[in-house]
């Protein structure tokens, strides 16, 4: 069955583009040269080829601040919105000078004063001044981060398919959980269900792990589920460019004994305090402080990160707690993660995708929060 490649919905891409242009004005950018896949899709609405790993920077998209014109590197117009005409498409070239000649011919390139790029390499740091001879090259990723950190209502709706598929993968993995199963088989069940749901590009590759009873927040050495083990599941799906994540811990054998039940209760208490910290104007360090308020030690890994077209700011972790005055705002979407551990029992891990609103926090994931009682 063939699947037609179509651009993002008109209202979705228009809302994102308005935010990007507003941030160009706020950062005094005449032009924005983009090479990062998520940024290109954000401003164009054209689906991008997903690849594993990183890719080198190249001038794959140019946004003109004054006119709002967009120039896109594409070999054809499949999936390209109508407002980006064929005369604004340019082909792939192995010779970087060919791309520089394209940029030179964009209206306004010769007179631009400030040009932002979302990344740079030594080659293009040397060549881009030839395309923009009167411009100062500056960090354009700051403008894109500011635009992307706040989601439009249409973006919130667009995240729904990724969330539902991630939750379907989680449900399939939970159904396969039993003593004697290997964590690789549980992850395979998750990814198989997500693929059947239409997504073959998971946001993470480590879908299931047996939590260690001896080392905090670590995985057990064997990888095979034993009776009474607490098994953590992290499902993430990339659908229509957007990422949705959900994580839960389930006891092998279907029942939580007394110590495990108390650990779940501690997890619920911690998570309640983390959710209470998710309000507009709150400093991101309040999410870290929720652990102290709940009497739980902080894990070494991030406890929250932004979601959208890939991963967006902020990233909240103990290592970054002193990295500036970063505050939560209405419209942010976070993957919120809680970890509690007990010697001899293991870890209870919970992750939800949450939307910060003017009135507080809206939990977008719907999976049950507990393992079976």
């Amino acid at each position: 069955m063939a699947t037609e490649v179509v651009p993002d919905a008109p209202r979705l891409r228009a809302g994102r583009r308005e935010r990007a242009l507003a941030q160009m004005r706020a950062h005094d950018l005449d032009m924005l040269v983009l090479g990062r896949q998520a940024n290109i899709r954000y401003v164009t609405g054209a689906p991008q080829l997903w690849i594993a790993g990183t890719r080198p920077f190249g001038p794959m998209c140019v946004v003109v601040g004054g006119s709002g014109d967009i120039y896109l590197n594409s070999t054809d117009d499949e999936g390209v919105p109508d407002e980006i005409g064929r005369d604004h498409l340019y082909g792939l070239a192995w010779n970087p000078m060919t791309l520089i000649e394209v940029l030179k011919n964009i209206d306004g390139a010769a007179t631009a004063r400030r040009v932002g790029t979302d990344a740079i390499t030594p080659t293009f740091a040397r060549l881009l001044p030839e395309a923009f001879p009167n411009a100062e090259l500056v960090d354009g990723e700051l403008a894109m981060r500011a635009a992307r950190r706040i989601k439009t209502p249409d973006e919130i709706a667009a995240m729904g398919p990724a969330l539902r598929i991630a939750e379907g993968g989680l449900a399939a993995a939970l159904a396969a959980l039993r003593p004697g199963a290997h964590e690789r088989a549980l992850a395979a069940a998750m990814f198989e269900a997500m693929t059947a749901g239409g997504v073959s590009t998971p946001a993470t590759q480590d879908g299931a792990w047996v939590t260690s009873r001896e080392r905090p927040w670590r995985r057990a050495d064997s990888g095979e589920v034993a009776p009474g083990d607490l098994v953590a599941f992290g499902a993430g799906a990339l659908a229509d460019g957007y990422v949705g994540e959900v994580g839960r811990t389930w006891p092998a054998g279907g029942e939580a004994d007394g110590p495990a039940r108390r650990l779940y209760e501690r997890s619920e208490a911690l998570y309640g305090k983390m959710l209470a910290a998710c309000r507009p104007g709150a400093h991101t360090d309040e999410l870290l402080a929720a652990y102290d308020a709940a009497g739980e030690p902080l894990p070494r890994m991030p406890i929250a990160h932004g979601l959208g077209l890939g991963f967006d700011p902020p990233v909240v972790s103990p290592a970054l707690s002193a990295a500036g005055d970063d505050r939560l705002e209405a419209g942010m979407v976070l993957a919120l993660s809680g970890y509690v551990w007990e010697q001899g029992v293991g870890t209870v891990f919970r992750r939800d995708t949450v939307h910060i609103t003017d009135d507080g926090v809206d939990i977008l994931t719907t999976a049950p929060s507990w393992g079976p009682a």
Side-chain angles (χ1 to χ4, degrees):
M1 180 178 65
T3 301
E4 184 180 4
V5 178
V6 297
D8 295 332
R11 203 169 71 174
L12 173 63
R13 63 181 188 256
R16 295 187 313 216
R17 196 172 299 152
E18 288 173 6
R19 285 193 55 79
L21 289 170
Q23 288 300 324
M24 287 183 68
R25 292 190 293 271
H27 287 78
D28 193 25
L29 298 178
D30 297 312
M31 288 187 171
L32 193 55
V33 182
L34 303 175
R36 291 180 172 170
Q37 176 181 334
N39 287 339
I40 294 171
R41 183 161 188 171
Y42 188 88
V43 300
T44 66
Q48 300 291 298
L49 175 65
W50 184 90
I51 60 172
T54 59
R55 63 177 75 185
F57 171 80
M60 298 295 101
C61 177
V62 179
V63 185
V64 182
S67 65
D69 284 350
I70 294 175
Y71 295 80
L72 178 63
N73 179 265
S74 182
T75 55
D76 58 47
D77 59 2
E78 184 181 33
V80 177
D82 292 339
E83 64 267 22
I84 304 177
R86 290 191 176 186
D87 60 329
H88 281 38
L89 303 180
Y90 55 98
L92 185 65
W94 292 109
N95 186 343
M97 289 306 303
T98 302
L99 295 175
I100 294 300
E101 289 301 317
V102 170
L103 302 187
K104 284 182 180 179
N105 292 320
I106 292 176
D107 289 341
T111 57
R113 299 172 299 104
R114 280 171 56 89
V115 175
T117 69
D118 63 353
I120 201 70
T121 60
T123 295
F124 281 104
R126 179 173 57 84
L127 295 179
L128 283 178
E130 298 185 27
F132 309 107
N134 294 300
E136 174 190 9
L137 293 181
V138 298
D139 184 2
E141 178 65 12
L142 299 176
M144 289 305 303
R145 287 181 183 176
R148 290 174 51 185
R149 68 189 276 130
I150 305 300
K151 305 300 180 291
T152 68
D154 291 293
E155 285 191 277
I156 300 300
M159 296 180 75
L163 290 169
R164 301 292 83 81
I165 289 169
E167 291 185 321
L170 173 64
L174 292 177
L177 175 61
R178 59 184 56 87
H182 197 282
E183 56 190 25
R184 288 195 300 267
L186 299 175
M190 176 185 294
F191 298 146
E192 181 181 35
M194 288 167 52
T195 302
V199 170
S200 58
T201 50
T204 59
Q205 295 184 358
D206 198 11
W209 59 99
V210 180
T211 69
S212 172
R213 304 187 192 202
E214 306 302 326
R215 297 175 296 169
W217 310 301
R218 301 292 184 88
R219 67 193 311 157
D221 294 331
S222 70
E224 185 172 298
V225 178
D229 277 343
L230 296 180
V231 184
F233 298 87
L238 175 65
D240 300 325
Y242 284 90
V243 172
E245 293 191 22
V246 60
R248 294 291 186 266
T249 299
W250 228 250
E255 293 185 1
D257 61 15
R261 181 187 292 272
R262 288 190 291 273
L263 199 58
Y264 276 109
E265 291 170 350
R266 286 168 50 191
S267 174
E268 290 290 299
L270 167 65
Y271 217 73
K273 294 183 183 301
M274 294 182 73
L275 290 173
C278 291
R279 64 186 189 280
H283 196 286
T284 54
D285 277 0
E286 292 190 37
L287 291 170
L288 299 169
Y291 275 79
D292 185 59
E296 301 292 347
L298 274 167
R300 295 182 180 178
M301 63 282 285
I303 62 169
H305 59 268
L307 292 177
L309 285 171
F311 299 105
D312 288 333
V315 176
V316 184
S317 78
L320 300 174
S321 62
D325 185 23
D326 200 354
R327 297 188 178 272
L328 303 179
E329 301 176 64
M332 282 183 171
V333 175
L334 303 177
L336 193 66
S337 302
Y339 303 84
V340 296
W341 179 80
E342 181 67 33
Q343 177 79 28
V345 182
T347 298
V348 171
F349 157 71
R350 176 179 174 180
R351 175 175 293 154
D352 282 294
T353 297
V354 302
H355 173 212
I356 298 174
T357 72
D358 289 324
D359 299 322
V361 63
D362 182 19
I363 302 176
L364 302 180
T365 39
T366 60
S369 60
W370 277 71

